[in-house]
Amino acid sequence: MSFITANVKRILAELPAGVELVAVAKGREPSAVQEAIDAGARMIGENYLQEADKAREIIGDRVQWHFVGHLQRNKVKKAVSLFDMIETLDSLALARDIEARCLETGKTMPVLIEVNSGRESQKWGLLPEKVKGTIEEISRLPHVRVMGLMTMGPRVGNPEEGRPYFVTTRRLFDEMKTSNLPNIEMRYLSMGMSNSYRIAIKEGANIVRIGRQVFERS
Ligand SMILES: *Cc1c(COP(=O)(O)O)cnc(C)c1O
């Protein structure tokens, strides 16, 4: 068994029922991504459109492709055609561009709202207090379907220090869930990476985005 196969099987066996693995493929060869899929990965995360384009051409749509990078407004057209979910929607302007593109193609685009839970000036994502208002606006766009929240959280030495940012995002998620806006469905909470996914799951994540622990030898 290759180490990628072993990694994916170990992680999938460990995840509680209802928690999905997004194997984050940035910088990996399509053959490595293929191995992860053969081992059971069902969702692939991509940060770069070109890489995703290449991988998707080879692998096809047997898996769900999630965009987890920063989406520039001039790349919306490509992103809408390539991805099954955009996890990093962080502005109304971008949502409007997605809506305009989807209106042309007839697609409805599932998205997660990226939350800048650590309030970091250099990070993308909406500040927590902006999330509700922005989701209300997006809920009026018929071809953009908000399905939950995503956060990165600050880079911390000890993963335990990242817990409060997951808690912040979880609280927002619960608040949005009970607000009953039309055209939104708070189903996914995407948080946690290789070094933090166990903590994120304890704090309510049901999507974990894992790169190194999938694609690197442990
Ligand atoms: C790279 C990346 C990950 C995975 O990080 P690892 O530390 O390799 O597990 C998760 N989410 C996003 C947005 C990323 O860019």
Side-chain angles (χ1 to χ4, degrees), residues 15 36 40 45 47 67 70-71 81 89 95 114 139 168-169 186 199 201 203-204:
L15 296 183
N47 294 64
F67 185 68
H70 177 65
L71 185 55
S81 78
L89 184 61
E114 181 172 2
S139 73
T168 295
T169 310
M186 281 285 140
I199 292 169
I201 291 168
E203 298 305 340

Side-chain angles (χ1 to χ4, degrees), residues 24 26 28 47 68 150 152 193-195 209-213:
V24 179
K26 61 173 169 262
R28 319 286 172 182
N47 294 64
V68 300
M150 177 273 204
M152 293 272 282
M193 320 201 299
S194 287
N195 61 357
R209 306 178 313 272
I210 304 182
R212 287 168 299 152
Q213 284 217 25

